[in-house]
Amino acid sequence: MSVFKVYDKKMYLNKAMDLLKSNNTTDHIYACLELRFCIEAIVYQKLLHGIDGLPNSIIETWQPNKALKMLYEFDSLTGANCVVEINLSNAKEPPKDGWLFFGEQKLPPVRWLNKTYNKLGSFLHLVEPKKAALVDSTDVRSAALKIAEQLKEYINTNFLISIKGVDIKKCPVCEQDIAFSLLKVKDGEVRKCSNNRCGALFSVKVDKTNNKVTFDCKTYDIKCQCCNKDIVIPELTIRNLDVFGCSNCGSRYLPRGNYEFALLPKKS
């Protein structure tokens, strides 16, 4: 089934617009939820269209803003607005005339998407007691209407540019899947795990012949003093003396280090 049918972005936007016609403030809250669904549909259409081998762990766990940011990092063309034209000329050099419009891809900017998605989410929670007296119920409706109008630009197009050449590896610390673009990844570059709670650093090695990515990650392994399970700790956590925990029993640990300094002699 086409991704355009699985994630029907226009349907969610139309539902939101109908709810915003109501004078019931509860309907306005549900409209915000439909608008979030609309944003998710826009991004997941892009994420699923033509990408081979992308695991469900990335599709199911990444929020729309992170998904779009990942696509943009792979290839700026796949995560941006662009017009595609074709020319039937047999000339060796690109001709000046005779170009035919083929399609236009429209995607929201990552910064706008992140801000908008979070703003809509804030309307889905009860207001803090100290701010309750200051809240105007019309704020939700006006904000949602403005966002709905902005989303219309990205609704009436089902043209997407696909990305190819993706390799998937698991982080050795948190075991989250990490996607690499074989077109952009560079041999020897240092990457950080996309899981913010992990933050492991690793050095990437690229096998151009087999189109594969491998990486080295410096970690420290210890036994949990409570449940005796292995804990894998990234080097950066130790260097920063950050708190880490056992994923099995939840016990928390704090690294402790002693530092000494030696004064180097002056050069003559």
Side-chain angles (χ1 to χ4, degrees):
M1 183 180 291
S2 167
V3 293
F4 302 116
K5 292 184 178 180
V6 175
Y7 297 105
D8 190 346
K9 53 193 178 184
K10 184 176 290 187
M11 176 188 69
Y12 295 119
L13 180 61
N14 289 339
K15 284 183 178 180
M17 294 300 291
D18 288 340
L19 288 166
L20 291 172
K21 294 176 183 177
S22 168
N23 291 323
N24 189 329
T25 55
T26 302
D27 289 338
H28 305 159
I29 300 298
Y30 281 108
C32 292
L33 183 61
E34 295 293 345
L35 290 174
R36 274 169 67 99
F37 288 159
C38 179
I39 290 176
E40 291 173 1
I42 291 171
V43 176
Y44 290 142
Q45 277 186 2
K46 177 63 183 179
L47 187 63
L48 291 175
H49 181 69
I51 299 184
D52 300 324
L54 198 64
N56 289 333
S57 59
I58 287 181
I59 297 170
E60 293 172 356
T61 60
W62 281 33
Q63 294 176 347
N65 55 335
K66 293 181 180 179
L68 193 62
K69 184 178 179 180
M70 177 192 71
L71 290 171
Y72 187 82
E73 289 175 350
F74 279 178
D75 182 354
S76 58
L77 189 63
T78 67
N81 293 348
C82 62
V83 175
V84 178
E85 296 179 337
I86 59 174
N87 198 298
L88 303 179
S89 172
N90 292 323
K92 293 183 179 181
E93 298 294 328
K96 294 182 179 180
D97 303 314
W99 291 94
L100 302 174
F101 176 78
F102 188 66
E104 182 178 9
Q105 174 177 268
K106 286 191 175 183
L107 292 171
V110 175
R111 182 176 296 180
W112 177 88
L113 186 147
N114 184 54
K115 181 180 179 180
T116 305
Y117 191 75
N118 291 334
K119 184 174 184 177
L120 289 168
S122 68
F123 294 142
L124 303 179
H125 302 282
L126 291 176
V127 182
E128 298 175 22
K130 62 181 180 180
K131 298 180 181 179
L134 304 176
V135 173
D136 185 348
S137 60
T138 60
D139 290 345
V140 177
R141 187 181 192 180
S142 59
L145 279 170
K146 182 178 179 181
I147 292 170
E149 288 297 323
Q150 292 171 325
L151 282 171
K152 287 181 180 179
E153 179 182 355
Y154 310 107
I155 295 301
N156 296 319
T157 174
N158 280 337
F159 183 87
L160 296 174
I161 299 174
S162 301
I163 184 172
K164 299 293 184 182
V166 178
D167 194 15
I168 310 296
K169 297 297 179 185
K170 284 188 178 293
C171 173
V173 179
C174 68
E175 297 188 349
Q176 175 169 300
D177 287 310
I178 305 172
F180 294 90
S181 167
L182 296 172
L183 295 175
K184 296 195 71 175
V185 66
K186 297 179 181 179
D187 190 64
E189 71 174 294
V190 176
R191 288 285 191 92
K192 187 176 182 179
C193 178
S194 54
N195 180 1
N196 292 332
R197 295 183 178 180
C198 173
L201 296 176
F202 43 84
S203 177
V204 180
K205 295 182 179 179
V206 183
D207 183 351
K208 295 290 186 180
T209 304
N210 299 311
N211 289 329
K212 293 292 182 183
V213 172
T214 58
F215 53 80
D216 295 325
C217 180
K218 293 183 179 180
T219 61
Y220 296 87
D221 301 349
I222 66 169
K223 291 285 185 183
C224 177
Q225 297 180 22
C226 296
C227 67
N228 206 39
K229 293 290 185 178
D230 290 330
I231 304 176
V232 182
I233 315 163
E235 181 187 31
L236 188 63
T237 298
I238 301 298
R239 287 182 178 274
N240 294 340
L241 300 180
D242 292 333
V243 175
F244 63 90
C246 174
S247 59
N248 183 62
C249 70
S251 299
R252 302 180 73 204
Y253 294 86
L254 176 66
R256 185 171 63 189
N258 295 320
Y259 296 92
E260 296 181 355
F261 301 89
L263 180 64
L264 295 175
K266 294 183 180 179
K267 294 181 179 180
S268 57

